[in-house]
């Protein structure tokens, strides 16, 4: 398969090759933390087209051919890892199926479609002598698990980045802010005893009090403002046998938060209202945002994009630079059975990415 530059190929052909690449990577299992095979494929794909790539673990990146250190550098980033398929799949998750204008397959929407669209966009500009900016394409690992060997392990290896586009399924609208996330492991301790007698102190009953608090508590916000902190209990475990009062009950809480509350403030409120012992899992993702006056946002608005605050988190949270999250596909399809993306979404996504980047120049000059 050939995917070459804008001087040699039409946008229509570029889109067709992107769809073919998507089908190829769907066939390669790439669970988060197990991405070597798909990283090998993507690296070979780029190398065969004459691009010099850099690799660290399963992260691959490269720069435009005529790199100019005096120009700003834009990062184009998406991830090639996937979650594991759930047991409601009817299709083979690793068999790309084209039907009714859709491509089915695990990772087709999250984030294979955005990834191949950003690859196409990068190759479209790769040979351009007169870009007003530089581009870095980074295809990264372990996004789904916020893993140690994902994008955050290469941030110090990249040339200094000015701002970024993070490819995730957003319907090609611009997420200009994103909630942070942290995971809490909570444990309520009771005392084991025989279920047939009035013995023990049932840890499940103690945990229920805390779980009910998590379910019903709302952090104060100004009138008319969206909820700042969302608390969701996503797992519960207790008991070893039907006739033993459990002495321990553990549960997991997913926390999403914006800039209105710090991690410390959230944990203080939780500590003041619950009785469980709480451990915060590593790799807390912090909220991120970009000014609506930023050149990238202005160029996106000129191209007909809308802005919104994303309720989900992504690798944008690790960057600590101005960034928008934008890509073909819909977030609501992510992690669902028989995941798919519309072929038209990929074609439109590539076109919009190119349009946004092509209209950046006057906004960069006015900074």
């Amino acid at each position: 398969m050939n995917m070459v530059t804008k001087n040699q190929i039409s946008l229509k052909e570029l889109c067709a090759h992107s769809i073919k690449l998507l089908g190829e990577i769907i066939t390669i299992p790439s669970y988060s933390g197990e991405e070597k095979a798909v990283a090998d494929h993507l690296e070979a794909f780029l190398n065969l087209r004459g691009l010099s790539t850099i690799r660290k673990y399963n992260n691959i990146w490269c720069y435009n051919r005529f790199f100019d250190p005096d120009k700003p550098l834009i990062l184009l980033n998406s991830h090639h890892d996937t979650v594991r398929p759930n047991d409601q799949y009817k299709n083979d998750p690793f068999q790309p199926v084209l039907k009714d204008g859709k491509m089915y397959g695990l990772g087709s929407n999250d984030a294979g479609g955005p990834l191949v669209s950003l690859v196409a966009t990068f190759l479209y500009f790769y040979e351009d002598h007169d870009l007003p900016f530089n581009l870095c394409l980074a295809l990264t690992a372990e996004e789904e698990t916020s893993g140690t060997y994902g994008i955050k392990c290469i941030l110090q290896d990249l040339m200094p980045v000015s701002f970024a586009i993070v490819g995730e399924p957003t319907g090609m609208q611009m997420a200009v802010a994103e909630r942070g996330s942290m995971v809490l492991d909570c444990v309520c301790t009771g005392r084991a005893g025989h279920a047939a007698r009035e013995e023990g102190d049932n840890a499940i009953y103690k945990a229920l009090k805390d779980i009910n608090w998590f379910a019903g508590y709302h952090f104060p916000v100004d009138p008319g403002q969206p909820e700042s902190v969302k608390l969701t209990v996503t797992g519960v475990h207790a008991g070893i046998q039907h006739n033993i009062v459990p002495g321990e009950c553990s549960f997991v809480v997913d926390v999403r938060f914006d800039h209105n509350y710090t991690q410390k403030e959230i944990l203080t409120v939780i500590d003041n209202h619950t009785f469980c012992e709480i451990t915060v899992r590593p790799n807390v993702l912090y909220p991120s945002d970009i000014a609506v006056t930023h050149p990238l946002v202005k160029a996106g608005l000129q191209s007909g994009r809308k802005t919104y605050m994303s309720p989900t988190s992504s690798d944008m949270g690790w960057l600590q630079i101005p960034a928008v999250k934008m890509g073909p596909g819909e977030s609501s399809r992510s992690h669902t059975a028989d995941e798919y993306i519309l072929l038209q979404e990929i074609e439109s996504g590539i076109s919009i990415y190119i349009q946004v980047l092509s209209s950046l120049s006057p906004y960069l000059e006015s900074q």
Side-chain angles (χ1 to χ4, degrees):
M1 180 178 78
N2 272 326
M3 182 185 285
V4 286
T5 65
K6 67 177 184 177
N7 295 321
Q8 301 166 292
I9 193 168
S10 70
L11 183 59
K12 184 177 181 179
E13 291 173 301
L14 196 63
C15 294
H17 294 327
S18 299
I19 291 166
K20 186 174 181 182
L21 175 61
L22 177 59
E24 292 170 358
I25 63 176
I26 286 173
T27 67
I28 306 171
S30 53
Y31 303 140
S32 200
E34 303 174 23
E35 309 96 340
K36 183 180 184 302
V38 76
D40 289 346
H41 186 84
L42 290 167
E43 184 175 32
F45 173 89
L46 295 171
N47 292 160
L48 284 170
R49 282 141 192 87
L51 278 68
S52 177
T53 55
I54 306 166
R55 180 164 176 170
K56 185 174 183 180
Y57 304 115
N58 293 322
N59 306 288
I60 302 152
W61 67 98
C62 51
Y63 301 93
N64 57 296
R65 181 172 181 181
F66 298 102
F67 189 95
D68 183 344
D70 293 328
K71 296 176 181 178
L73 174 60
I74 304 171
L75 176 67
L76 306 179
N77 166 242
S78 191
H79 66 95
H80 51 60
D81 64 313
T82 72
V83 297
R84 294 180 180 273
N86 61 61
D87 58 10
Q88 294 183 340
Y89 263 82
K90 296 177 182 177
N91 300 327
D92 181 347
F94 303 110
Q95 180 62 46
V97 175
L98 288 173
K99 183 179 180 182
D100 299 328
K102 303 172 183 177
M103 178 175 284
Y104 290 87
L106 181 65
S108 56
N109 180 77
D110 183 14
L115 182 142
V116 300
S117 299
L118 283 175
V119 169
T121 302
F122 178 79
L123 291 171
Y124 180 86
F125 289 107
Y126 177 72
E127 295 275 4
D128 199 318
H129 290 77
D130 302 315
L131 283 177
F133 47 76
N134 298 298
L135 290 174
C136 174
L137 175 70
L139 311 178
T140 52
E142 299 192 12
E143 188 274 343
E144 296 291 0
T145 55
S146 297
T148 302
Y149 301 107
I151 192 171
K152 60 184 177 180
C153 82
I154 69 168
L155 293 177
Q156 299 305 312
D157 299 303
L158 300 177
M159 294 194 184
V161 177
S162 302
F163 51 94
I165 297 175
V166 176
E168 291 280 352
T170 70
M172 288 308 292
Q173 305 306 333
M174 294 187 298
V176 295
E178 190 177 67
R179 287 178 181 266
S181 69
M182 63 177 165
V183 180
L184 310 180
D185 289 306
C186 306
V187 178
C188 285
T189 303
R191 187 178 70 259
H194 198 299
R197 296 191 292 268
E198 294 296 323
E199 293 178 350
D201 182 12
N202 197 317
I204 292 177
Y205 298 158
K206 299 178 76 170
L208 281 173
K209 295 177 182 178
D210 285 351
I211 290 171
N212 284 331
W213 179 84
F214 279 109
Y217 185 79
H218 297 277
F219 280 73
V221 293
D222 292 333
Q225 295 301 305
E227 190 172 10
S228 292
V229 182
K230 189 175 188 302
L231 306 170
T232 307
V233 177
T234 56
V236 181
H237 178 77
I240 56 173
Q241 193 168 304
H242 76 91
N243 58 356
I244 300 176
V245 172
E248 182 176 287
C249 180
S250 61
F251 59 96
V252 178
V253 182
D254 179 274
V255 183
R256 306 294 169 131
F257 59 103
D258 63 22
H259 288 94
N260 286 296
Y261 287 90
T262 66
Q263 178 188 4
K264 182 177 180 181
E265 289 170 337
I266 294 168
L267 292 174
T268 297
V269 170
I270 293 172
D271 283 336
N272 288 340
H273 288 85
T274 60
F275 299 93
C276 53
E277 294 183 10
I278 297 173
T279 302
V280 181
R281 291 188 188 177
N283 299 327
V284 174
L285 269 173
Y286 292 97
S288 56
D289 60 12
I290 184 173
V292 294
T293 56
H294 191 278
L296 182 57
V297 178
K298 287 183 175 180
L301 291 171
Q302 179 185 314
S303 301
R305 304 303 92 207
K306 296 180 180 178
T307 62
Y308 74 103
M309 178 176 179
S310 174
T312 60
S313 56
S314 71
D315 278 338
M316 192 162 81
W318 300 119
L319 298 180
Q320 301 300 302
I321 57 171
V324 300
K325 182 170 68 176
M326 179 171 68
E330 295 293 342
S331 180
S332 59
R333 297 185 206 134
S334 300
H335 307 177
T336 60
D338 298 326
E339 181 182 350
Y340 70 88
I341 190 167
L342 299 173
L343 303 187
Q344 176 58 39
E345 289 174 324
I346 295 175
E347 183 174 345
S348 177
I350 295 170
S351 179
I352 291 169
Y353 278 143
I354 291 172
Q355 184 181 4
V356 170
L357 291 172
S358 297
S359 62
L360 260 175
S361 184
Y363 300 111
L364 292 173
E365 293 170 359
S366 65
Q367 273 198 313

